Amino acid sequence: MTRRLGRVGLALALATLLVWFLIPRPDLLGKHPLSQAVFDRDGSLLRLTLASDDRYRLPVRLAAVSPELVQAILFHEDQYFWLHPGVNPISLVRAAIQTFLLEGRRVGGSTLTMQLARIHFDIHSRSLAGKLEQVARALQLERHYSKTQLLEAYLLLAPFGGNVEGIAAASLIYLGKEPSAISLEEALALAVIPQSPARRSPEHPLGELRAARDRLLERWSRKHTLDQAEQAALRLPMDFRKRSELPFRAPHFTRAALGAYRGRNRIFSTLDGNLQADLEALLQSYVKRNAERGLQNASALLLDYDSMEVRTWIGSADFRNVELEGQVDGTSAKRSPGSALKPFVYALAIDRGLIHPQTMLADAPQSFGEFNPENFDGDFRGPIHAVDALVDSRNVPAVGLAAQLGKQGLYDFLERARISRLRERDFYGLASVLGGVELTMQELLELYAMLGNGGLLRPLRIAHHATATTNTASPTTTPTMTPTMTATRLLSPEASVLTLEMLEKNRRPSNTTGAPFMKPQLQAAWKTGTSHGFRDAWAVGLFGPYALAVWVGHFDGHGDPALTGRQAAAPLFFEMIDTLRHGADIFEHHYATALGQLNLIEVDVCSVSGRLPGEHCPHRTATGFIPGQSPIDRCDIHRRIEIEIASGLRACPGHSPPTRSQVYEFWPSDLLHLFTRAGIPRGTPPPYPPDCALQSVASFGIAPRITTPNSELLYHARTTSNATRQIGLSAISDGDVKKLYWFLDGKLLGHSRGPNPFYWTAEPGQFTVLAVDDHGRSDSTQLRVDLIE
């Protein structure tokens, strides 16, 4: 037996020399894939993934491990770890004598480095040859790695039962906390598991684990003094979780975070775990309460638009519901936003100086080429202020503004916003204003947050940082979801604020008033959207420091009349807002104050026309105004005229019978027609007496303006019939005009009344078209006609 031990000693000596000088540095972590952990903004675990070999394995720096835990592991496994060269000769000799010389119970003599070598190199160390390889590999590791690196590698690979490896994974799974937060009583229990993981794992009854911990505690107490708190904690029942209790929270969000940070072991996200749970429960309850109405699924996204940090991310009503396709992430699915894009048309029009909030727009039947938009209710309201047209989601005024914007309009805006998978411009046309373009909820909410950030588009941020930790490199950090995307200015701060102030006029639906005992209702700047065919219902907007988007619909895309933005999405939108009312800071935050000094003033405009008031405008209202940019047309609707007292007719210019002065509204013929069609009576001025000289009357008022024909166009008329050769001649006339007379190259063609066109049977050639109203005022234009077969 002595000779046998001698041969063992000689073999160890030779192995030491061979390893120390000849065997190269091994890759300590290359073959051990790692898990990923996602935490909420408060450090609570949202999800821990399996590594690619179906094990939970998470690296940790020694500095991030509780000192009591490190001491407990070394005290139990290898008290001389910091002193020996990888092998403890005294322990090996003692184990060899006990095992081989006395042939008694096998006694372990392995150091922590030897255990690491056995795990890493998959060595069967029960045989003599295996033990020699284990020793040699331990020496190899000590040759190439520092003690700290070796201890960190052990803390990564030590077995803790089942497929749980490493102290970081074990502490998260069994205790729900990081290794840095482990207490002494927890450290002593974790330290004894690797010695017998099959029996001491918390997956089994805790009797064996407690007995092993108590034995270690007895030894520990001989060298360490325990305070009263530690003694009391050690008397308490052991509180360990099982793998089945691992959190699987915010699954759509964590999936997105894991995809964005591949290779990062710890992702410290921006998500508010408590708020996520509250809003998830609210959304699920809302869907259940409205199931009979056909509402089956919903998604929601909440972010702090100052920081662009995501606070809540709910991809579906039930992640595990296969029938609802619950694993589909509704926040990243391309959907039609319906009218939710209209605010950006108005913002662009404000930025271009086309409108301010009180500008009068036309809500009347209009044709834009072959596109004939209608309003959701199938009706038209006539003249309408821009703010009312936006808040009431009138389609025709929005399309009209988009047409005025031309090529630098909504499509160009969406391109600059980097909206993904856009098709060519002509594919959408003006229908993009009404939801013809598909966006994801993330993209749409970024656009609304852009308004709150003064026109500056910034990407969503889903993590504060994400680290990749290995044993051979320092932790690396990635700060955001899309670090390569820079901020882009899409609108001026002034246009952004004016648009949000318009959206604040959007009244909360009557069925979302909230409980009377709650705080005053939050001011929300919001908009709904309903896609064509009732497939998608949206509510999106800003309140306090938050931007919120809510979608209700079906992932398979089938329509349902119940799916309108105001009836299906808005109630959930405001229920979520009410849930957030407990935060007092919400009421103190407003985008206008956050943006600082703006080139924005408040001016009075005529409350009827929306223009800067003339001297005779009887009623005025205030509106936001951008000096040097907003339209400065002065109101000429209200005019003071002289009325003959005897006849009640308008006094002829220059005549002086007894008269009285009175202010009348002179509406252009197109708007006057809209008022009439909408059933809104407007008073018109009385006519002149028949004997008034035309020359004197023509010098007052506004001349007609020909709208068709357009002098820049070449008109084609077919020769097959007179009907296909007709061209409509039309003009906008002043409010006191009854008839328009049409002339072609000086020849009278006929007359028209009000906004009605006069139809001329076209002939080929180039002509001068003249329109003269019944007061002698006129306008002319050129007309080119080509006849085709």
Side-chain angles (χ1 to χ4, degrees):
M1 183 60 65
T2 303
R3 290 182 179 179
R4 187 178 181 184
L5 288 176
R7 289 196 297 270
V8 170
L10 179 60
L12 285 174
L14 292 174
T16 301
L17 292 174
L18 181 65
V19 168
W20 199 258
F21 292 106
L22 298 180
I23 300 180
R25 172 190 175 103
D27 181 4
L28 194 53
L29 291 183
K31 72 173 186 177
H32 302 291
L34 303 174
S35 300
Q36 288 182 278
V38 185
F39 302 89
D40 72 8
R41 67 194 301 250
D42 296 321
S44 297
L45 182 65
L46 296 173
R47 183 176 176 183
L48 178 67
T49 69
L50 286 165
S52 60
D53 61 354
D54 290 332
R55 295 179 180 273
Y56 292 107
R57 188 186 296 114
L58 201 62
V60 64
R61 288 285 159 187
L62 192 59
V65 180
S66 160
E68 290 85 356
L69 180 54
V70 175
Q71 293 172 25
I73 290 174
L74 293 180
F75 185 78
H76 183 62
E77 295 287 355
D78 191 351
Q79 298 184 47
Y80 302 101
F81 171 75
W82 299 105
L83 302 176
H84 62 65
V87 176
N88 187 333
I90 296 175
S91 297
L92 277 180
V93 170
R94 184 175 63 248
I97 293 173
Q98 175 70 21
T99 303
F100 298 113
L101 187 60
L102 301 180
E103 296 183 353
R105 183 179 65 85
R106 288 180 177 272
V107 175
S110 298
T111 63
L112 188 144
T113 311
M114 291 173 64
Q115 294 180 50
L116 174 62
R118 175 179 55 79
I119 297 170
H120 176 68
F121 294 106
D122 195 21
I123 299 172
H124 300 283
S125 59
R126 289 187 175 272
S127 66
L128 179 60
K131 182 62 69 176
L132 291 175
E133 182 186 1
Q134 184 182 15
V135 169
R137 289 297 191 180
L139 294 173
Q140 179 189 14
L141 293 177
E142 292 275 353
R143 167 73 175 86
H144 294 289
Y145 291 95
S146 69
K147 285 288 187 179
T148 297
Q149 290 174 322
L150 293 173
L151 182 53
E152 288 177 345
Y154 175 80
L155 294 176
L156 170 68
L157 300 176
F160 281 87
N163 61 346
V164 181
E165 293 186 1
I167 195 63
S171 60
L172 283 173
I173 292 171
Y174 297 140
L175 297 168
K177 60 179 70 174
E178 286 274 33
S180 59
I182 297 298
S183 61
L184 176 61
E185 68 275 9
E186 294 166 338
L188 292 173
L190 289 174
V192 300
I193 295 176
Q195 193 175 72
S196 184
R199 291 185 300 163
R200 297 173 184 173
S201 165
E203 297 291 332
H204 307 302
L206 299 179
E208 178 72 22
L209 176 59
R210 187 178 185 93
R213 188 205 66 176
D214 290 345
R215 289 193 296 271
L216 177 59
L217 173 60
E218 183 180 353
R219 292 169 46 214
W220 178 275
S221 304
R222 296 174 195 154
K223 295 191 176 184
H224 302 82
T225 302
L226 303 179
D227 59 33
Q228 291 183 350
E230 291 172 334
Q231 293 177 24
L234 285 163
R235 288 193 294 269
L236 294 173
M238 298 175 68
D239 184 18
F240 282 88
R241 304 174 184 177
K242 301 183 184 300
R243 280 171 294 174
S244 59
E245 299 177 66
L246 257 178
F248 188 70
R249 301 163 60 195
H252 298 96
F253 172 79
T254 55
R255 185 171 62 190
L258 293 168
Y261 294 101
R262 296 184 188 279
R264 306 298 182 186
N265 312 125
R266 285 175 171 81
I267 302 168
F268 298 93
S269 77
T270 64
L271 199 80
D272 187 319
N274 294 328
L275 192 56
Q276 173 80 17
D278 290 344
L279 295 189
E280 273 184 358
L282 190 153
L283 184 145
Q284 291 167 0
S285 170
Y286 179 82
V287 170
K288 289 179 181 178
R289 283 184 276 124
N290 291 275
E292 292 183 357
R293 295 173 52 207
L295 308 188
Q296 298 178 0
N297 210 346
S299 303
L301 192 62
L302 176 76
L303 60 89
D304 181 324
Y305 65 80
D306 278 339
S307 63
M308 294 301 292
E309 294 181 355
V310 172
R311 294 287 182 256
T312 299
W313 180 313
I314 307 172
S316 69
D318 187 351
F319 183 82
R320 292 180 171 84
N321 191 318
V322 177
E323 292 183 2
L324 292 180
E325 300 178 85
Q327 294 192 20
V328 173
D329 186 355
T331 73
S332 59
K334 284 284 188 176
R335 313 292 300 190
S336 166
S339 296
L341 283 179
K342 286 177 183 172
F344 307 107
V345 174
Y346 284 81
L348 289 167
I350 291 172
D351 241 355
R352 293 271 293 275
L354 298 178
I355 63 169
H356 55 66
Q358 290 297 325
T359 296
M360 187 70 75
L361 303 176
D363 182 15
Q366 296 185 57
S367 295
F368 302 89
E370 296 181 356
F371 182 40
N372 303 298
E374 294 184 353
N375 290 310
F376 184 79
D377 58 7
D379 197 7
F380 300 95
R381 296 188 186 175
I384 186 171
H385 293 292
V387 58
D388 298 323
L390 174 58
V391 166
D392 295 341
S393 201
R394 310 305 291 173
N395 290 343
V396 177
V399 174
L401 283 178
Q404 291 184 61
L405 290 170
K407 290 189 175 181
Q408 302 301 313
L410 183 62
Y411 184 87
D412 177 71
F413 172 85
L414 297 176
E415 272 194 324
R416 290 187 290 125
R418 305 184 183 94
I419 300 303
S420 62
R421 307 206 306 264
L422 277 178
R423 302 183 69 167
E424 62 277 5
R425 183 190 305 269
D426 292 341
F427 177 81
Y428 303 108
L430 293 175
S432 60
V433 180
L434 308 181
V437 177
E438 290 188 337
L439 284 77
T440 68
M441 179 181 286
Q442 297 168 29
E443 292 170 334
L444 186 60
L445 196 57
E446 281 182 350
L447 292 179
Y448 275 79
M450 175 271 301
L451 294 175
N453 288 316
L456 201 62
L457 181 72
R458 294 154 53 200
L460 296 181
R461 192 169 183 224
I462 65 171
H464 292 120
H465 63 281
T467 60
T469 305
T470 68
N471 266 26
T472 56
S474 299
T476 56
T477 301
T478 305
T480 63
M481 181 176 179
T482 51
T484 59
M485 181 177 175
T486 57
T488 303
R489 177 158 298 285
L490 298 181
L491 296 167
S492 70
E494 292 77 14
S496 302
V497 168
L498 285 182
T499 303
L500 287 172
E501 289 179 348
M502 293 167 73
L503 291 173
E504 282 185 344
K505 306 294 184 184
N506 194 3
R507 292 178 299 277
R508 179 176 177 144
S510 58
N511 60 341
T512 64
T513 54
F517 58 84
M518 299 185 76
K519 293 180 180 179
Q521 293 177 357
L522 283 171
Q523 185 86 38
W526 68 290
K527 184 73 182 70
T528 58
T530 304
S531 68
H532 179 71
F534 303 101
R535 294 180 176 88
D536 308 275
W538 294 87
V540 195
L542 273 60
F543 60 98
Y546 296 117
L548 172 65
V550 166
W551 170 87
V552 179
H554 308 282
F555 287 150
D556 63 8
H558 78 266
D560 190 318
L563 291 176
T564 66
R566 201 160 189 88
Q567 296 300 317
L572 177 56
F573 179 83
F574 281 102
E575 283 188 28
M576 288 187 168
I577 289 179
D578 291 340
T579 300
L580 292 161
R581 284 204 238 183
H582 64 274
D585 60 324
I586 294 177
F587 295 87
E588 300 170 1
H589 185 98
H590 195 270
Y591 43 81
T593 56
L595 291 175
Q597 188 67 35
L598 298 174
N599 179 34
L600 199 59
I601 62 175
E602 190 174 85
V603 300
D604 285 339
V605 295
C606 175
S607 60
V608 176
S609 68
R611 300 176 182 176
L612 295 178
E615 59 177 322
H616 301 303
C617 291
H619 303 291
R620 305 184 182 195
T621 188
T623 188
F625 192 87
I626 306 174
Q629 187 167 320
S630 294
I632 58 174
D633 297 341
R634 192 162 294 277
C635 177
D636 55 10
I637 301 297
H638 298 93
R639 305 177 204 168
R640 184 176 295 279
I641 61 175
E642 296 298 318
I643 304 296
E644 293 180 355
I645 296 177
S647 66
L649 298 176
R650 187 175 178 182
C652 296
H655 289 212
S656 56
T659 62
R660 58 180 174 83
S661 64
Q662 185 173 340
V663 174
Y664 279 89
E665 293 180 359
F666 284 73
W667 286 99
S669 57
D670 58 336
L671 293 182
L672 185 61
H673 174 70
L674 295 182
F675 279 125
T676 303
R677 180 168 182 157
I680 304 173
R682 311 306 298 187
T684 57
Y688 286 106
D691 58 350
C692 278
L694 195 59
Q695 293 84 354
S696 63
V697 173
S699 60
F700 293 90
I702 299 173
R705 177 171 58 86
I706 296 176
T707 54
T708 57
N710 187 329
S711 61
E712 297 181 359
L713 299 180
L714 173 62
Y715 288 80
H716 297 280
R718 294 190 177 275
T719 60
T720 52
S721 70
N722 287 343
T724 58
R725 290 170 55 185
Q726 289 190 334
I727 295 177
L729 310 179
S730 59
I732 296 173
S733 58
D734 204 3
D736 57 355
V737 173
K738 303 301 181 183
K739 290 183 180 181
L740 276 175
Y741 297 91
W742 293 94
F743 296 83
L744 194 71
D745 286 344
K747 179 183 177 181
L748 177 64
L749 298 177
H751 70 271
S752 61
R753 292 181 179 272
N756 299 315
F758 175 83
Y759 289 97
W760 168 63
T761 302
E763 298 291 341
Q766 182 167 337
F767 310 93
T768 298
V769 177
L770 178 68
V772 182
D773 66 23
D774 50 15
H775 297 319
R777 298 166 300 213
S778 64
D779 184 32
S780 64
T781 189
Q782 297 299 307
L783 169 62
R784 293 180 298 145
V785 180
D786 185 19
L787 293 184
I788 59 176
E789 295 295 334

